[in-house]
Amino acid sequence: MLALCLLLQLSAGVRAAAKVCNQHEELCSRAYNDVTSISTHASFAVTNQTKPTKPGTQFKGINDQLNDGVRGLHFNIMQGSSASQVSLCYPDCTVNDGGTLLDSLKVVKAWLDANKNDVVTIFLEGVGTDASPTAVVKAFTDSGADKYALMGKPKSWPTLEKMIDDGTTLVVFAEDPNIAAANSKGYFISYEDTVLKLDGPFRYGDEWTCGPWNRTSQSIMLIPHFIVQTATYGGATYNNMPYPFNLGTTNGYQYEFHAVSCRGGQSIWINFMEVDFYDQGDLKTPTLKLNALPYEGDNKKNFYPEFFDADPDAPIASASTPAAPLSTAWHIALGACLLLSLFNALRI
């Protein structure tokens, strides 16, 4: 009888603790390229929101970004003080020097150590970068982030649950062909035949567009959704400075409109929406919609991605699917177990 009680209690615990992947149980069965995530443009280029001393693209650092649900990080890599060092800078190191690639990778690695059920993607950006390919590889090995890296582009993308079970919770895309080819282990995946990067960035007043229309074998769609401006800093003029205005609109209904418009014109799913100042506006609600996940104020008119076999008439109770309730018989059995345990304790 005691063995049966133990079995019942363990079973109840398993049912109550459903597995989640990237914060949602429903995403576990989805393939990596069937999930939409927020990614941060120049993730390292942080500036102070109230008293900025330099231009930046984000108000919060990388650790906070990951804690808040960001799952894509964009690192603009450049040569640092020596050929053996890789710096992260935007638009160059005289404007916003975000420190070394190694230091940022240490943050990512520590976060992955503490969050085993989350998959993170890094985009190494900069075609023609002067960063040493050898130094870039070394930063990954020295930080320990490489132990989580998915090795090479798979023939078909695994599910998030599979990646989590395998411990391959870091995906790394490299825009520069020399960087992509530098890693003998193969965990730098080339943009060329994998990532379809759409038009962008944009300027205030531009129409959000969805080209280019030249997809070949790419299976990941990246949409730059941020605005830049021409501005002078330190006596130099830059054409791609951040535009920290109208963020409630840019990171609100325009984010959703841009995503849905591009989904209608391209033949693959939207995987990353790259944004500035991710914590401004409301990116969470439209991202939940794109993933066919319930959101606050949801109703039957919510749209569902083609890959997701969902019933639009099914009731939506909350933002997270609860564990299946225990039956009455189950409760009676557990109650009997508790009474038996109490009786044995009193006998002692």
Side-chain angles (χ1 to χ4, degrees):
M1 182 65 180
L2 289 175
L4 176 60
C5 288
L6 180 60
L7 180 62
L8 287 170
Q9 292 177 35
L10 288 174
S11 179
V14 169
R15 294 181 66 175
K19 187 173 185 177
V20 295
C21 303
N22 281 20
Q23 301 182 322
H24 297 279
E25 179 186 349
E26 300 92 331
L27 297 183
C28 288
S29 61
R30 309 260 187 102
Y32 172 82
N33 64 330
D34 284 343
V35 176
T36 301
S37 300
I38 300 167
S39 66
T40 46
H41 170 228
S43 311
F44 54 86
V46 178
T47 189
N48 188 287
Q49 184 175 3
T50 55
K51 295 181 179 180
T53 58
K54 58 184 177 182
T57 58
Q58 309 298 331
F59 292 137
K60 292 184 176 183
I62 290 170
N63 194 72
D64 286 336
Q65 292 173 30
L66 294 171
N67 285 336
D68 290 344
V70 169
R71 291 296 175 266
L73 304 171
H74 294 258
F75 291 164
N76 301 66
I77 54 175
M78 303 178 184
Q79 180 176 307
S81 57
S82 66
S84 61
Q85 186 182 79
V86 182
S87 291
L88 303 179
C89 302
Y90 186 83
D92 63 27
C93 294
T94 63
V95 178
N96 193 308
D97 185 341
T100 66
L101 173 62
L102 175 60
D103 287 342
S104 287
L105 289 176
K106 287 179 179 178
V107 174
V108 175
K109 194 266 183 181
W111 193 89
L112 289 172
D113 286 343
N115 296 270
K116 300 294 187 181
N117 286 350
D118 290 270
V119 175
V120 174
T121 300
I122 290 176
F123 297 86
L124 299 175
E125 299 204 324
V127 175
T129 177
D130 60 355
S132 162
T134 302
V136 174
V137 173
K138 191 173 187 298
F140 275 84
T141 55
D142 288 353
S143 67
D146 62 327
K147 82 170 192 176
Y148 289 109
L150 181 72
M151 297 298 176
K153 176 187 175 183
K155 292 182 179 179
S156 60
W157 290 101
T159 64
L160 295 190
E161 184 171 22
K162 172 66 173 170
M163 297 172 73
I164 289 166
D165 289 344
D166 291 346
T168 54
T169 52
L170 180 64
V171 181
V172 185
F173 294 115
E175 189 173 25
D176 184 82
N178 293 324
I179 300 295
N183 193 312
S184 60
K185 294 183 179 180
Y187 56 76
F188 291 169
I189 303 173
S190 173
Y191 266 45
E192 185 176 0
D193 58 354
T194 310
V195 178
L196 179 64
K197 186 175 182 178
L198 300 193
D199 295 336
F202 299 86
R203 294 186 175 273
Y204 182 73
D206 284 352
E207 178 182 356
W208 302 105
T209 57
C210 300
W213 310 103
N214 58 350
R215 175 179 174 258
T216 54
S217 61
Q218 296 96 334
S219 55
I220 300 297
M221 190 195 301
L222 167 63
I223 301 180
H225 180 82
F226 55 92
I227 295 174
V228 297
Q229 62 178 328
T230 298
T232 300
Y233 182 81
T237 300
Y238 298 86
N239 294 321
N240 54 346
M241 292 288 265
Y243 185 81
F245 310 105
N246 303 315
L247 295 173
T249 300
T250 302
N251 289 354
Y253 78 89
Q254 289 188 357
Y255 172 95
E256 183 172 359
F257 174 79
H258 190 188
V260 173
S261 298
C262 292
R263 175 63 186 97
Q266 297 286 352
S267 58
I268 56 176
W269 191 243
I270 305 158
N271 301 113
F272 295 95
M273 293 290 291
E274 181 185 5
V275 300
D276 281 344
F277 310 107
Y278 79 94
D279 57 323
Q280 305 297 297
D282 178 16
L283 300 177
K284 180 179 179 180
T285 298
T287 305
L288 288 171
K289 290 181 182 180
L290 290 166
N291 283 311
L293 296 172
Y295 57 93
E296 186 176 353
D298 196 5
N299 56 52
K300 295 179 182 180
K301 294 182 180 179
N302 184 19
F303 60 90
Y304 291 83
E306 292 178 2
F307 61 81
F308 186 64
D309 184 17
D311 178 7
D313 294 323
I316 297 171
S318 67
S320 296
T321 303
L326 298 177
S327 66
T328 302
W330 208 279
H331 281 107
I332 293 173
L334 287 174
C337 288
L338 290 174
L339 288 174
L340 179 61
S341 298
L342 179 61
F343 175 74
N344 288 331
L346 290 175
R347 289 179 60 189
I348 294 172

